[in-house]
Amino acid sequence: MNEFYPEIEPYQHFLMDVDSQHQIYVEQCGNPQGQPVVFLHGGPGGGCSTNDRRFFDPEKYRIILFDQRGCGRSKPHGCLENNETHFLVSDIDAIRKKLGIAKWHVFGGSWGSTLALVYAQTYPEQVKSLVLRGIYLGRSQDTDWSFSGGGATRLCPDYWQQYLAAFPKNMDLSNYSVQMAYDIMTGDDKALALKVAKAWSIWEIRCCTLIPNQAFVDAATGDQQAWTLARHEAHFMVNNCFLSENQILANTDKIKDIPMTIVHGRYDIVCPFDNAWQLHQKLPHSSLIISEASGHASIEPNTKHHLINATKAMLSVA
């Protein structure tokens, strides 16, 4: 079973201006002469972690990570203005140009898979290969599944009830919607906004692993992390991820020639497996690897094993 590569530190990190308001944090790790790969984190609003560097052989890869607008170490923290999918896609390519990279591998999980797919469909000539995990297609049905009383809430009704308990008692939640949560999290009552943001984050992160993992939940739901994860996710969800309905599946012809490995947990509650199945059906030359006994998280043993296998394999892509 593959394990993470050893912990490494960046050999370069900086803040990069992407407009008059936003600066994004960018770092490079591994071998400056290695094959370039960009890591796209989830959320939206999740930010990168030190383990995200460790899916790649540091002797063979030039590993580029960045925190998307408004989250992680990017500034201003929590900013939702000018924070839309097409801006994030432009940021990715601006990083590529700034670093003088002609073509690179792209690795993305969860929301990072959404962003990777939209980026590749926008800039197919710049993408050598794709490794994707926990596919999220950004459709209204995907939001409904996890955050509007869909299948996830039926699988984990106890977790869902604890999430709803964070809302004011006088609110009628019989017609709960993401918009209701978003209005609170972007409202004037900052204490209530943070309470709902934390509850949102705990609900989601608890659903990420097949086996309950409290340490994983605690590490991802501190106040700062919850503030960006929940507010960014709700911001994108109420705006249909700033995509046209079914945009990704409708444009798969643009990326049909890009080598692609899809890794998806069989028992993923956050992003159900049929997302990956539908993508693979549209891209029959892609490789679909079902991570058995796994949910959504990249740290689950089987999923981690398959992802590291995939990064080893993509070194051979010309």
Side-chain angles (χ1 to χ4, degrees):
M1 188 75 74
N2 287 317
E3 293 297 335
F4 278 134
Y5 289 100
E7 292 186 11
I8 52 174
E9 292 296 322
Y11 64 78
Q12 182 191 37
H13 61 89
F14 56 90
L15 286 172
M16 175 178 163
D17 293 334
V18 288
D19 64 15
S20 60
Q21 184 174 26
H22 287 277
Q23 292 181 305
I24 56 173
Y25 171 86
V26 182
E27 67 178 38
Q28 297 196 81
C29 310
N31 180 356
Q33 306 306 317
Q35 291 200 36
V37 58
V38 63
F39 179 96
L40 306 181
H41 68 69
C48 289
S49 74
T50 55
N51 278 341
D52 295 335
R53 307 164 181 160
R54 302 175 64 194
F55 288 103
F56 313 96
D57 185 337
E59 294 184 3
K60 297 178 180 177
Y61 276 110
R62 178 184 177 186
I63 308 158
I64 297 108
L65 298 91
F66 75 100
D67 293 333
Q68 294 157 31
R69 294 188 181 205
C71 68
R73 292 148 291 187
S74 295
K75 298 179 179 180
H77 185 77
C79 181
L80 300 176
E81 295 177 23
N82 295 321
N83 204 331
E84 303 176 13
T85 304
H86 69 279
F87 289 125
L88 303 185
V89 167
S90 294
D91 293 348
I92 297 168
D93 211 53
I95 293 169
R96 181 190 63 81
K97 290 176 181 175
K98 182 175 179 64
L99 298 180
I101 296 168
K103 201 169 184 177
W104 55 2
H105 303 283
V106 180
F107 180 113
S110 193
W111 164 252
S113 75
T114 319
L115 206 52
L117 286 161
V118 177
Y119 174 76
Q121 290 173 349
T122 308
Y123 299 102
E125 297 303 316
Q126 277 67 58
V127 179
K128 292 183 70 172
S129 74
L130 288 159
V131 172
L132 307 174
R133 187 266 312 165
I135 301 299
Y136 178 70
L137 295 172
R139 303 164 298 179
S140 56
Q141 69 196 67
D142 302 317
T143 294
D144 292 344
W145 170 269
S146 54
F147 272 100
S148 290
T153 67
R154 296 181 65 185
L155 289 167
C156 299
D158 49 342
Y159 295 169
W160 183 247
Q161 184 176 357
Q162 290 172 47
Y163 164 62
L164 294 180
F167 289 78
K169 296 191 182 303
N170 61 352
M171 283 189 73
D172 179 9
L173 298 176
S174 60
N175 291 310
Y176 167 85
S177 67
V178 171
Q179 186 70 54
M180 293 167 64
Y182 184 59
D183 290 344
I184 289 174
M185 291 190 288
T186 55
D188 294 333
D189 187 337
K190 299 305 181 188
L192 178 60
L194 179 59
K195 181 180 179 183
V196 171
K198 284 195 60 99
W200 172 298
S201 300
I202 290 169
W203 150 252
E204 179 179 350
I205 302 302
R206 288 176 89 179
C207 292
C208 277
T209 55
L210 181 61
I211 305 301
N213 186 333
Q214 191 59 44
F216 176 71
V217 174
D218 292 343
T221 56
D223 287 0
Q224 275 204 326
Q225 294 149 301
W227 184 250
T228 56
L229 181 69
R231 292 171 77 253
H232 281 61
E233 286 187 343
H235 170 70
F236 276 78
M237 286 178 181
V238 300
N239 288 289
N240 300 311
C241 292
F242 302 96
L243 301 172
S244 60
E245 187 64 14
N246 218 35
Q247 177 177 323
I248 290 172
L249 293 182
N251 287 279
T252 49
D253 59 301
K254 297 177 181 178
I255 55 174
K256 61 182 176 59
D257 296 323
I258 298 176
M260 180 187 308
T261 300
I262 304 165
V263 177
H264 204 110
R266 168 75 76 182
Y267 303 106
D268 191 333
I269 292 174
V270 178
C271 297
F273 173 61
D274 71 330
N275 289 356
W277 183 255
Q278 290 175 53
L279 180 64
H280 179 56
Q281 299 309 300
K282 297 285 285 186
L283 293 164
H285 297 299
S286 64
S287 173
L288 174 61
I289 298 170
I290 304 170
S291 185
E292 304 289 358
S294 299
H296 185 64
S298 61
I299 63 160
E300 291 176 287
N302 286 339
T303 300
K304 185 199 314 180
H305 169 78
H306 292 310
L307 289 171
I308 291 172
N309 265 353
T311 66
K312 290 176 180 177
M314 73 180 180
L315 286 166
S316 64
V317 176

